[in-house]
Amino acid sequence: MPRTRTAKAAGVTVKSSMRTLEILEYCDAVQRPVTVSELAARLDYPQSSTSTLVQSLVNHGYLVLGADGRGVKPSSRVSALGRWVDPAAPRADVRALMDEVATATGHTILLGVPSDLCVRYVDVIPSRHPMRLEIKVGDRLPLVRSGMGMLLLSRMPDAAVVHVAAQTRERVAARGAPGVGATALANLWNDAPVVPDDADLLDAVAAIRRRGYALSLGQVTHGAGILCLPVPLSPESQGLTGLGIGGLSSLIARDEAAILEAVDAAARRLGIAIPIDPPR
C-alpha cells in the first residue's frame, strides 16, 4: 500500500522531473526530431542543463537519435508507457481517424478529455499550415468557454453542466482565472474569465447536441478557432473524448463544411460512428 503523502510532499515539484515530462510532451507535439538548442529555447531551459537531461534520457533509452544524427525523438519505450491505463484512448482506429483528417484538412488535430474544470488535450497532430497555433499535449482550457469544453459538456446531463458552471464560478471568485487551472494557451480566459449564466450555457449545450458538433472562434485563445466532434469509445469505457480540428479562426470558419465532410468520409471508411450530418 502506498503511504499517504504529507502536506509538504503534496506541494513538492521536482524541477528535473517536470522538465523531463515537458521535453517528452514537446516532442510529441511537434512530432519530429528536435535539437537541444530548440528545446532550451522553446521551453526556456538553460542550455547546459537541457543538454545533460537529454543525454540522460538517451542513455536510458527514452530518447533516440533522429535520422540526421543531430536531433532526438522519443523511443518506442516511451510510446509503450501508459497503455495499460486506458487502452482505448486513443485506440488505433481513432488515431487513424486523426491521421486521415490531418491529411485531408492540413489543420491541427486534437483529442480532448475532461480534467476537473478544464478540457485537457491528450493527443495532438500539428498543422501543416505555415501560420499555425502551437498547441501541445497537456494544454488545458476551461470547459465552460472553450469549443472542446462545450462539446464535452454537451455529452453530460444538464445537472452536471450546471454543477461544472457553479464550481467554475466559485474557483474564479476565490482565486481568479488561475483557480480553474487553464494553461497559457487560454490567454483570453486568463485575462478575463467570464462564465456564462446557466440559461445561456444550457442553450448553447442544447444547440451542440442538435447539431452534433461544436464550433468556437476566438472565444478563449486569441485568433484561435476549433471545430469539435464526439469520439465514441469502446463499450467498456465510460470516458468522454472529443476530436478537435483547430487553427486560425479565419481558416476554421472558412473550412467548416469541408472539415465536416472530411471527418464524415474518414469515419465512414474506418467504421467509426460520429453522429453528424455534414452539409451537402
Side-chain angles (χ1 to χ4, degrees):
M1 290 288 290
R3 291 180 298 177
T4 302
R5 295 181 301 170
T6 64
K8 180 178 180 181
V12 166
T13 298
V14 179
K15 185 181 294 184
S16 60
S17 299
M18 291 308 302
R19 285 180 174 174
T20 296
L21 296 174
E22 288 168 353
I23 285 172
L24 295 176
E25 287 182 343
Y26 181 78
C27 290
D28 188 64
V30 299
Q31 296 192 4
R32 56 172 170 76
V34 297
T35 63
V36 169
S37 297
E38 178 182 349
L39 289 169
R42 297 308 300 269
L43 300 176
D44 195 25
Y45 297 164
Q47 180 89 10
S48 59
S49 59
T50 304
S51 179
T52 300
L53 186 51
V54 167
Q55 187 59 57
S56 177
L57 290 169
V58 170
N59 292 344
H60 288 83
Y62 291 100
L63 293 178
V64 295
L65 290 177
D68 62 2
R70 294 172 54 246
V72 294
K73 62 181 182 178
S75 70
S76 57
R77 183 175 184 181
V78 173
S79 67
L81 294 173
R83 286 181 181 170
W84 64 274
V85 177
D86 187 358
R91 300 192 320 263
D93 58 344
V94 173
R95 182 67 192 199
L97 175 66
M98 294 177 67
D99 288 335
E100 288 204 22
V101 175
T103 299
T105 67
H107 292 302
T108 297
I109 311 301
L110 312 107
L111 277 186
V113 299
S115 179
D116 191 24
L117 300 178
C118 284
V119 52
R120 180 169 60 88
Y121 291 126
V122 295
D123 201 3
V124 178
I125 298 177
S127 169
R128 299 197 310 270
H129 292 300
M131 295 295 290
R132 66 188 188 190
L133 297 163
E134 291 291 344
I135 303 173
K136 62 182 185 298
V137 171
D139 271 333
R140 292 161 54 96
L141 303 178
L143 282 168
V144 296
R145 292 294 292 174
S146 61
M148 183 69 81
M150 292 294 292
L151 183 279
L152 295 173
L153 288 178
S154 76
R155 312 298 288 178
M156 303 178 190
D158 282 355
V161 175
V162 170
H163 178 71
V164 167
Q167 290 291 105
T168 303
R169 292 188 194 98
E170 288 182 16
R171 299 269 190 93
V172 170
R175 297 174 51 200
V180 174
T183 53
L185 181 67
N187 43 48
L188 286 172
W189 166 268
N190 290 335
D191 288 344
V194 176
V195 181
D197 64 38
D198 289 349
D200 289 343
L201 188 61
L202 290 174
D203 283 348
V205 164
I208 293 169
R209 290 174 184 145
R210 290 192 299 271
R211 189 169 58 224
Y213 66 94
L215 179 67
S216 175
L217 303 173
Q219 292 295 306
V220 70
T221 301
H222 288 291
I226 191 168
L227 190 155
C228 307
L229 306 102
V231 175
L233 299 179
S234 57
E236 66 271 14
S237 174
Q238 299 301 310
L240 300 172
T241 305
L243 173 74
I245 300 89
L248 301 181
S249 289
S250 57
L251 297 182
I252 298 301
R254 181 199 70 187
D255 295 345
E256 178 181 354
I259 290 169
L260 290 169
E261 289 174 358
V263 174
D264 183 62
R268 288 175 185 273
R269 279 194 298 273
L270 294 165
I272 299 175
I274 294 183
I276 59 169
D277 183 16
R280 303 296 178 185

